[in-house]
Amino acid sequence: MTITQVESVPLVAVVGATGVQGGSVIKALTESDKPYRIRGFTRDVTKAAAETLKKQGVEMVTVNLVVENKEAVYKAFSGADYAFEVAEGIMLIDAAKAAGVKGIVWSGLVSVKELSGGKYTKVQQFDGKAVVTAHGRASGVPFATVQAGLYASSFRTNPMMLAKQPDGTYAIPLIVKPTTVIPIIHMENDYGLYVRRALELPAFPDGVDVYTGGENITLGEMARQLSELTGKTVVYKQIPIEEFIKPFLALGLPLHIIEAVVEAFQFWEEFGYCGGQISTASKEGLARLPQTWAEFVKSADWSKALA
Ligand SMILES: NC(=O)c1ccc[n+]([C@@H]2O[C@H](COP(=O)([O-])OP(=O)(O)OC[C@H]3O[C@@H](n4cnc5c(N)ncnc54)[C@H](OP(=O)(O)O)[C@@H]3O)[C@@H](O)[C@H]2O)c1
């Protein structure tokens, strides 16, 4: 535990501190032998996750990171040396810059629109982050992206990713070929390792895109390993788009969100998750190795997902 209040050590401002990504960053910095001050942002400092972080020595600050709240957002960054964020983009970069931070680590993703040559234009969850990346690169502040792979936990918690079949067996029922390669990551446990490495390099990795992942693995192989390691029958099942979107429509999700999910899978199948960029996440220099899919499967509780 190296979280301190000593003013001479770097202050890292973590947006989304109570969430998966921010939580993973704090976990990794806490594991470091280097000391940090950590400021975590939340909309509610009284929630359980915020209380837990406070007990670990994190300075928890209430701020609603929306553009209508610009003044408070700027204030929230004051005195920070580094900034990490998951939520609100451009304003946060401007606020971090105004605070005079030495570096910004942004949880960016590739531009699907650009890398697909305009074929897929609806993957807002990627393209929006890429727009923010461009803003960050132009900001003049040392700026690095640490790009999230696909959350391994989605397969445990999201019934769209792993579903019980009428015959009592299980399937990963998605619209792409089983040979589609995914950089899978145990986000809660391992994402922060990459952010920590960026912060602890001798020089801040300005301009660098860091890809994260325990391994690159095909969806078919994920199903095979899940089956082998849990003893349950799990197969990968490529299904038509109409079948895939049925539960989304039943939930009343807006069309643009459904299209964003569909096109994301199509992009990953056709261009790769990182769109032909080097998607192999380098593990060199990480404080510990991130989990492979098999290691995640072994360490996780599947009693509900495979009930
Ligand atoms: N699922 C995947 O496989 C995958 C892959 C790549 C990237 N991603 C990306 O991951 C991101 C989600 O990150 P996550 O998993 O860390 O999310 P999360 O666990 O849901 O956490 C969201 C965090 O953002 C904070 N937050 C939300 N709105 C806020 C506001 N207005 N002001 C201040 N704080 C706010 C929340 O804090 P409080 O609630 O405490 O205020 C919380 O800490 C998404 O952008 C998604 O596109 C997901």
Coordinates of all heavy atoms in Angstrom, one line a residue, residues 102-139:
K102 N 1.2 16.8 -16.0 CA 2.4 16.4 -16.7 C 2.1 15.4 -17.8 O 2.9 15.1 -18.6 CB 3.4 15.8 -15.8 CG 3.9 16.9 -14.8 CD 4.9 16.2 -13.8 CE 5.3 17.1 -12.7 NZ 5.5 16.4 -11.4
G103 N 0.9 14.8 -17.7 CA 0.5 13.7 -18.6 C -0.9 13.3 -18.5 O -1.5 13.4 -17.4
I104 N -1.5 12.9 -19.6 CA -2.9 12.4 -19.6 C -2.9 11.0 -20.2 O -2.3 10.8 -21.2 CB -3.8 13.3 -20.4 CG1 -3.9 14.7 -19.9 CG2 -5.2 12.7 -20.6 CD1 -4.7 15.7 -20.7
V105 N -3.5 10.1 -19.4 CA -3.7 8.7 -19.9 C -5.1 8.6 -20.2 O -6.0 8.7 -19.3 CB -3.2 7.7 -18.9 CG1 -3.5 6.3 -19.4 CG2 -1.8 7.8 -18.5
W106 N -5.4 8.4 -21.5 CA -6.8 8.3 -21.9 C -7.2 6.9 -22.3 O -6.5 6.3 -23.1 CB -7.0 9.3 -23.1 CG -8.2 9.2 -24.0 CD1 -8.1 8.7 -25.3 CD2 -9.5 9.4 -23.7 NE1 -9.4 8.7 -25.8 CE2 -10.3 9.1 -24.8 CE3 -10.2 9.9 -22.5 CZ2 -11.7 9.3 -24.8 CZ3 -11.6 10.0 -22.5 CH2 -12.3 9.7 -23.7
S107 N -8.3 6.5 -21.9 CA -8.8 5.1 -22.2 C -9.5 5.2 -23.6 O -10.7 5.2 -23.7 CB -9.8 4.6 -21.2 OG -10.3 3.4 -21.6
G108 N -8.6 5.3 -24.6 CA -9.1 5.5 -26.0 C -9.4 4.2 -26.7 O -9.2 3.1 -26.1
L109 N -10.0 4.3 -27.8 CA -10.2 3.1 -28.7 C -10.0 3.6 -30.1 O -10.0 4.8 -30.4 CB -11.6 2.6 -28.5 CG -11.9 1.8 -27.2 CD1 -13.4 1.6 -27.0 CD2 -11.1 0.5 -27.1
V110 N -9.8 2.7 -31.1 CA -9.5 3.1 -32.4 C -10.7 3.7 -33.1 O -11.8 3.5 -32.7 CB -9.0 1.9 -33.3 CG1 -7.7 1.3 -32.7 CG2 -10.0 0.8 -33.4
S111 N -10.5 4.4 -34.2 CA -11.6 5.0 -35.0 C -12.0 3.9 -36.0 O -11.3 3.7 -37.0 CB -11.1 6.3 -35.7 OG -12.1 6.6 -36.6
V112 N -13.1 3.3 -35.7 CA -13.7 2.3 -36.6 C -14.0 2.9 -38.0 O -13.8 2.3 -39.0 CB -14.9 1.7 -35.9 CG1 -15.7 0.8 -36.9 CG2 -14.5 0.9 -34.7
K113 N -14.6 4.1 -37.9 CA -15.0 4.8 -39.1 C -13.8 4.9 -40.1 O -13.8 4.6 -41.2 CB -15.5 6.1 -38.7 CG -16.3 6.8 -39.8 CD -16.9 8.1 -39.1 CE -17.4 9.1 -40.1 NZ -18.0 10.3 -39.5
E114 N -12.7 5.4 -39.5 CA -11.5 5.7 -40.3 C -10.9 4.4 -40.8 O -10.5 4.2 -42.0 CB -10.5 6.4 -39.4 CG -10.1 7.8 -40.0 CD -9.3 8.5 -39.0 OE1 -8.1 8.1 -38.7 OE2 -9.7 9.5 -38.4
L115 N -10.7 3.5 -39.8 CA -9.9 2.2 -40.2 C -10.7 1.3 -41.1 O -10.1 0.5 -41.7 CB -9.5 1.5 -38.9 CG -8.4 2.3 -38.1 CD1 -8.2 1.7 -36.7 CD2 -7.1 2.3 -38.8
S116 N -12.0 1.5 -41.1 CA -12.8 0.7 -42.0 C -13.1 1.4 -43.3 O -13.9 1.0 -44.2 CB -14.2 0.3 -41.4 OG -15.0 1.4 -41.3
G117 N -12.4 2.5 -43.5 CA -12.6 3.3 -44.7 C -14.0 3.8 -44.9 O -14.5 3.8 -46.1
G118 N -14.7 4.1 -43.8 CA -16.1 4.6 -43.9 C -17.2 3.5 -44.0 O -18.3 3.8 -44.1
K119 N -16.7 2.2 -44.0 CA -17.7 1.1 -44.1 C -18.6 1.0 -42.8 O -19.8 0.8 -43.0 CB -17.0 -0.2 -44.3 CG -17.9 -1.4 -44.5 CD -17.2 -2.6 -45.0 CE -18.2 -3.8 -45.2 NZ -17.5 -5.0 -45.6
Y120 N -18.0 1.1 -41.7 CA -18.8 1.1 -40.4 C -18.7 2.4 -39.7 O -17.6 2.9 -39.4 CB -18.2 0.0 -39.5 CG -18.2 -1.4 -40.1 CD1 -17.1 -2.1 -40.4 CD2 -19.4 -2.0 -40.5 CE1 -17.1 -3.4 -41.0 CE2 -19.5 -3.2 -41.1 CZ -18.3 -3.9 -41.3 OH -18.4 -5.1 -41.9
T121 N -19.9 3.0 -39.6 CA -19.9 4.4 -39.2 C -20.7 4.6 -37.9 O -20.9 5.7 -37.4 CB -20.6 5.3 -40.2 OG1 -21.9 4.8 -40.5 CG2 -19.8 5.4 -41.5
K122 N -21.2 3.5 -37.3 CA -22.1 3.6 -36.2 C -21.5 3.2 -34.9 O -22.2 3.1 -33.9 CB -23.4 2.8 -36.5 CG -24.1 3.4 -37.7 CD -25.3 2.6 -38.1 CE -25.9 3.3 -39.3 NZ -26.4 2.5 -40.3
V123 N -20.2 2.9 -34.8 CA -19.6 2.3 -33.6 C -19.1 3.5 -32.7 O -18.0 3.8 -32.5 CB -18.5 1.3 -33.9 CG1 -18.1 0.6 -32.7 CG2 -18.9 0.4 -35.0
Q124 N -20.1 4.2 -32.2 CA -19.9 5.4 -31.5 C -19.0 5.2 -30.3 O -18.2 6.1 -29.9 CB -21.2 6.0 -31.1 CG -21.2 7.4 -30.5 CD -20.4 8.4 -31.4 OE1 -20.4 8.3 -32.6 NE2 -19.6 9.3 -30.8
Q125 N -19.1 4.0 -29.6 CA -18.3 3.8 -28.4 C -16.8 3.7 -28.7 O -16.0 3.9 -27.8 CB -18.8 2.5 -27.7 CG -18.6 1.2 -28.4 CD -19.6 0.8 -29.4 OE1 -20.3 1.7 -30.0 NE2 -19.8 -0.5 -29.6
F126 N -16.5 3.5 -30.0 CA -15.1 3.5 -30.4 C -14.8 4.9 -31.0 O -13.8 5.6 -30.6 CB -14.8 2.4 -31.5 CG -14.4 1.1 -30.9 CD1 -15.3 0.4 -30.0 CD2 -13.2 0.5 -31.2 CE1 -14.9 -0.8 -29.5 CE2 -12.8 -0.7 -30.6 CZ -13.7 -1.4 -29.8
D127 N -15.6 5.3 -32.0 CA -15.3 6.6 -32.7 C -15.3 7.8 -31.8 O -14.4 8.7 -32.0 CB -16.3 6.8 -33.8 CG -16.1 5.7 -35.0 OD1 -15.1 5.1 -35.0 OD2 -17.1 5.6 -35.8
G128 N -16.2 7.8 -30.8 CA -16.2 9.0 -29.9 C -14.9 9.1 -29.1 O -14.4 10.2 -29.0
K129 N -14.4 7.9 -28.7 CA -13.1 8.0 -28.0 C -12.0 8.4 -28.9 O -11.0 9.1 -28.4 CB -12.9 6.6 -27.3 CG -13.9 6.3 -26.2 CD -13.5 5.0 -25.5 CE -14.5 4.7 -24.4 NZ -15.8 4.2 -25.0
A130 N -12.0 8.0 -30.1 CA -11.0 8.4 -31.1 C -11.0 9.9 -31.3 O -9.9 10.5 -31.5 CB -11.1 7.6 -32.4
V131 N -12.1 10.5 -31.3 CA -12.2 11.9 -31.5 C -11.5 12.6 -30.3 O -10.8 13.6 -30.4 CB -13.7 12.4 -31.6 CG1 -13.8 13.9 -31.4 CG2 -14.3 11.9 -32.9
V132 N -11.8 12.1 -29.1 CA -11.2 12.7 -27.9 C -9.7 12.5 -28.0 O -8.9 13.4 -27.6 CB -11.8 12.0 -26.6 CG1 -11.0 12.5 -25.4 CG2 -13.3 12.3 -26.5
T133 N -9.2 11.3 -28.5 CA -7.8 11.1 -28.6 C -7.2 12.1 -29.5 O -6.1 12.7 -29.2 CB -7.5 9.7 -29.2 OG1 -8.1 8.7 -28.4 CG2 -6.1 9.4 -29.4
A134 N -7.8 12.4 -30.6 CA -7.3 13.5 -31.5 C -7.2 14.8 -30.8 O -6.2 15.5 -30.9 CB -8.2 13.6 -32.7
H135 N -8.2 15.1 -30.0 CA -8.2 16.4 -29.2 C -7.0 16.3 -28.2 O -6.3 17.3 -28.1 CB -9.5 16.5 -28.5 CG -9.6 17.8 -27.7 ND1 -9.9 19.0 -28.4 CD2 -9.5 18.2 -26.4 CE1 -10.0 20.0 -27.5 NE2 -9.7 19.5 -26.3
G136 N -6.8 15.2 -27.6 CA -5.7 15.1 -26.6 C -4.3 15.2 -27.3 O -3.4 15.9 -26.8
R137 N -4.2 14.6 -28.4 CA -2.9 14.7 -29.2 C -2.6 16.1 -29.6 O -1.4 16.5 -29.6 CB -3.0 13.8 -30.4 CG -3.1 12.4 -30.2 CD -1.8 11.6 -30.5 NE -2.0 10.2 -30.4 CZ -1.9 9.5 -29.3 NH1 -1.5 10.1 -28.2 NH2 -2.1 8.2 -29.3
A138 N -3.7 16.9 -29.8 CA -3.4 18.3 -30.3 C -3.3 19.2 -29.1 O -3.1 20.4 -29.3 CB -4.6 18.7 -31.2
S139 N -3.5 18.7 -27.9 CA -3.6 19.6 -26.7 C -2.3 20.2 -26.3 O -2.3 21.2 -25.6 CB -4.2 18.9 -25.5 OG -3.3 17.9 -25.0

